[in-house]
């Protein structure tokens, strides 16, 4: 993996209130980065800014590889993706939900089928490929969202509270999926959680966001 992120003095204000005041960190190592912080601390905001879905009011997010800093164009945005806590699904089958992102990228039909099936295998949903996506449980829906993200083979995967409102069984499955991604070196994972025990189980690098400032937990 060659893609890296540098957050430099990122600031974000909402309605005159500073949520992020001075967030600097370089994500440049393989593994799982877990961002902790109380509710309302700005974890999700920071993730969206890093994923280029929201602009900072100050500071800078830079992506770079061995060749240097990369332009924030479509090519870069196709190398990163964010999975939200409550994902939206298309009104069709599980398989077609996973296949959609590949179709809009012009991938061949045979490759789409192979990659979609592999992604569903990875999250344990291959047996539900023909089921209507809207009939899945909340935990299964979250796993579908991860499969839909992984099928486009991102270099960096952002997960915002991936087990929020998910039952215990699916929480365990999702944690296993994240651990498997790390073992197989599939992608860099940057995730938020409010669960201290989960952070200790999954994190290679544990970050804490407090009073608008980001730091690495000792």
């Amino acid at each position: 993996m060659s893609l890296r992120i540098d957050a430099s003095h990122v600031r974000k204000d909402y309605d005159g209130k500073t949520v992020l005041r001075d967030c600097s960190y370089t994500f440049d190592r393989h593994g799982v980065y877990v961002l902790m912080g109380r509710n309302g601390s700005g974890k999700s905001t920071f993730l969206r800014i890093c994923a280029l879905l929201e602009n900072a009011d100050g500071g800078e997010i830079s992506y770079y590889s061995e060749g240097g800093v990369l332009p924030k164009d479509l090519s870069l945005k196709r190398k990163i993706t964010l999975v939200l806590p409550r994902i939206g699904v298309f009104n069709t089958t599980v398989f077609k939900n996973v296949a959609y992102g590949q179709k809009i990228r012009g991938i061949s039909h045979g490759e789409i089928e192979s990659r979609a099936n592999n992604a569903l295998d990875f999250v344990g949903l291959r047996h539900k490929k023909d089921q209507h996506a809207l009939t899945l449980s909340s935990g299964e829906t979250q796993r579908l969202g991860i499969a839909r993200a992984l099928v486009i083979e991102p270099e960096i995967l952002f997960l915002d509270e991936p087990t929020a409102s998910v039952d215990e069984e699916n929480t365990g499955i999702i944690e296993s999926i994240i651990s498997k991604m790390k073992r197989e070196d599939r992608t860099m994972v940057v995730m938020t959680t409010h669960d201290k025990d989960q952070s200790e189980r999954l994190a290679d690098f544990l970050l804490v966001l407090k009073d608008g400032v980001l730091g690495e937990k000792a």
Side-chain angles (χ1 to χ4, degrees):
M1 178 180 15
S2 62
L3 200 60
R4 303 291 186 267
I5 318 170
D6 184 67
S8 179
H9 304 291
V10 171
R11 193 190 86 249
K12 185 67 179 181
D13 302 323
Y14 288 119
D15 299 324
K17 179 183 177 183
T18 298
V19 178
L20 306 174
R21 67 181 66 255
D22 188 13
C23 291
S24 297
Y25 193 81
T26 299
F27 300 85
D28 61 356
R29 291 166 286 180
H30 165 73
V32 177
Y33 294 83
V34 176
L35 176 57
M36 294 282 292
R38 62 175 176 78
N39 289 339
S41 63
K43 301 187 303 295
S44 297
T45 297
F46 182 72
L47 219 62
R48 289 195 301 270
I49 291 172
C50 285
L52 306 180
L53 297 176
E54 190 168 334
N55 293 322
D57 294 318
E60 184 66 31
I61 296 292
S62 300
Y63 278 83
Y64 60 97
S65 63
E66 285 85 350
V69 177
L70 302 173
K72 296 172 185 174
D73 56 12
L74 181 61
S75 176
L76 171 60
K77 291 177 181 179
R78 285 185 168 180
K79 295 177 182 178
I80 63 178
T81 191
L82 168 65
V83 179
L84 297 171
R86 292 179 178 81
I87 70 161
V89 297
F90 301 119
N91 186 21
T92 185
T93 65
V94 167
F95 177 86
K96 288 182 178 178
N97 265 268
V98 176
Y100 177 76
Q102 300 174 87
K103 286 184 177 180
I104 64 175
R105 286 166 170 77
I107 296 172
S108 69
H109 177 75
E111 183 70 11
I112 287 173
E113 184 168 5
S114 174
R115 284 168 59 169
N117 283 332
N118 287 339
L120 288 169
D121 273 333
F122 195 83
V123 302
L125 289 176
R126 175 76 173 267
H127 63 295
K128 298 202 171 189
K129 61 181 289 186
D130 296 321
Q131 185 170 322
H132 200 287
L134 294 176
T135 67
L136 295 176
S137 71
S138 60
E140 290 168 339
T141 300
Q142 195 67 18
R143 287 156 57 194
L144 171 59
I146 294 173
R148 202 163 61 185
L150 288 178
V151 79
I152 61 175
E153 299 180 350
E155 291 192 43
I156 299 177
L157 174 63
F158 297 98
L159 299 173
D160 190 8
E161 297 279 4
T163 59
S165 303
V166 170
D167 61 73
E168 185 176 349
E169 179 183 2
N170 276 286
T171 292
I173 293 171
I174 291 169
E175 288 185 4
S176 296
I177 290 167
I178 295 169
S179 295
K180 188 177 178 183
M181 280 190 268
K182 177 170 61 175
R183 290 196 306 272
E184 296 186 3
D185 196 16
R186 291 176 72 98
T187 181
M188 178 194 292
V189 176
V190 183
M191 62 174 282
T192 65
T193 182
H194 63 274
D195 187 333
K196 183 176 182 294
D197 292 336
Q198 182 177 78
S199 71
E200 292 175 350
R201 287 192 293 271
L202 296 177
D204 295 299
F205 312 101
L206 182 57
L207 310 176
V208 177
L209 188 54
K210 183 177 180 182
D211 299 326
V213 179
L214 181 65
E216 190 168 77
K217 187 174 177 62

